[in-house]
Amino acid sequence: MIKVFQSLWNKKQEKTLPSLSKDNVPSHVAIIMDGNGRWANRRGLPRIVGHQTGMKAVKRAAIAADEIGVKYLTMYAFSTENWKRPKDEVDFLMRLPEEFLAIELEELIEKNVRIHMMGHPEDLPPHTIAAMEEAISRTRNNTGLVLNFALNYGSRRELKEAFRKAAEDIAAGRLSPEVFTEEWIDSHLQTSGIPDPDLLIRTGGELRLSNFMLWQLAYSELWFTDIYWPEFGRDHFYQAIAEYQRRTRRYGGLS
């Protein structure tokens, strides 16, 4: 009976999804996962319940991205500014990667997903780093979707460190101003080796970048939704892809 219900539900979901072209799929999708706390508050629940429920949306987004052929999926999990939140909430957020990977890592391995992380690990607690390092190590040789967690990440700090490195190298004669190019900057950012996002999705109704990949998002398509992150599902992901496919990317060229 359960299998019959699941089959009917899957068919219903397929009918509600927009028609997508396999020939125009964004290679890299980035997501600002916003609205966990407000989702919980509206239900009279602690904010941490919203964060915990949001883990299920991470899995749904990863599955949807893998299904359609997205190669890189970057999730903004914790920003350098999020340390300003109450200590009990921050402590809970630092446990989430460990909890998520304990539940989902085996399935991610089966699906050939490779875990990646960008950010500043030196500020993270040991148990968070240990969970991420294990996942990265165990999926290192996988060749499918790259699931990239931006954890303790801030774009201004990332850029500051890249520019400081350039200044030091120029002063020491290791780098000439002539080769201080956009390509040099790209290679010294934490996304080195990963293409810039083609599409940015932000949930929760806010219309800003919140210090997320400010350099890399220069020509990304942006898609905002009022849906809170714990409610974000496969259909919402494909709505964003459908909107992306309706747009023409000009990169500053003629319309």
Side-chain angles (χ1 to χ4, degrees):
M1 185 68 179
I2 293 175
K3 289 183 178 179
V4 171
F5 176 78
Q6 289 176 336
S7 177
L8 291 172
W9 172 253
N10 290 336
K11 288 180 180 179
K12 180 181 177 182
Q13 288 293 90
E14 288 172 3
K15 290 179 182 178
T16 60
L17 291 177
S19 177
L20 299 175
S21 168
K22 291 279 190 176
D23 298 326
N24 185 23
V25 174
S27 177
H28 184 180
V29 176
I31 303 181
I32 299 176
M33 305 177 287
D34 195 17
N36 289 337
R38 282 171 287 154
W39 177 88
N41 290 339
R42 288 198 172 190
R43 288 158 177 77
L45 301 169
R47 287 175 58 86
I48 61 175
V49 176
H51 295 309
Q52 193 166 37
T53 306
M55 290 196 307
K56 298 176 183 177
V58 172
K59 181 178 179 179
R60 291 194 296 267
I63 291 173
D66 188 49
E67 284 176 343
I68 194 64
V70 172
K71 293 182 174 60
Y72 301 89
L73 180 65
T74 296
M75 318 292 278
Y76 202 9
F78 191 88
S79 77
T80 50
E81 290 73 36
N82 286 157
W83 296 106
K84 301 172 185 176
R85 295 185 178 187
K87 184 178 183 304
D88 60 343
E89 183 176 352
V90 169
D91 289 345
F92 184 84
L93 288 169
M94 289 295 102
R95 289 285 179 189
L96 280 183
E98 187 177 5
E99 184 177 340
F100 173 79
L101 292 167
I103 297 169
E104 306 295 351
L105 183 56
E106 293 302 327
E107 184 174 349
L108 293 172
I109 291 172
E110 289 178 7
K111 290 185 176 295
N112 199 29
V113 172
R114 180 158 61 94
I115 302 295
H116 186 79
M117 183 191 126
M118 67 182 194
H120 305 281
E122 62 273 18
D123 301 327
L124 297 173
H127 60 83
T128 306
I129 292 297
M132 292 304 304
E133 286 180 345
E134 180 185 359
I136 291 168
S137 176
R138 292 185 62 191
T139 63
R140 190 178 307 278
N141 296 322
N142 289 356
T143 58
L145 173 74
V146 175
L147 181 55
N148 180 31
F149 290 101
L151 193 57
N152 193 33
Y153 170 84
S155 185
R156 287 185 174 184
R157 180 172 173 180
E158 174 188 38
L159 289 167
K160 180 179 69 175
E161 291 180 356
F163 295 157
R164 178 184 294 152
K165 171 65 175 170
E168 290 173 352
D169 284 356
I170 290 172
R174 294 188 296 267
L175 176 69
S176 66
E178 292 76 18
V179 297
F180 179 57
T181 60
E182 290 188 12
E183 290 74 22
W184 187 96
I185 296 172
D186 285 338
S187 68
H188 286 76
L189 297 179
Q190 296 192 1
T191 49
S192 177
I194 297 176
D196 291 344
D198 301 291
L199 172 66
L200 170 73
I201 296 170
R202 179 166 187 155
T203 62
E206 303 292 352
L207 307 177
R208 58 177 179 268
L209 297 181
S210 297
N211 196 22
F212 185 48
M213 292 202 285
L214 302 177
W215 177 274
Q216 298 91 331
L217 291 171
Y219 276 102
S220 303
E221 297 297 320
L222 311 181
W223 190 81
F224 299 100
T225 177
D226 292 334
I227 294 293
Y228 293 138
W229 179 246
E231 302 170 326
F232 190 83
R234 180 171 175 261
D235 54 340
H236 302 113
F237 188 88
Y238 286 137
Q239 285 171 21
I241 300 297
E243 175 60 29
Y244 170 86
Q245 294 186 345
R246 284 191 287 268
R247 300 180 187 180
T248 301
R249 304 183 73 191
R250 301 186 182 88
Y251 301 96
L254 295 175
S255 59

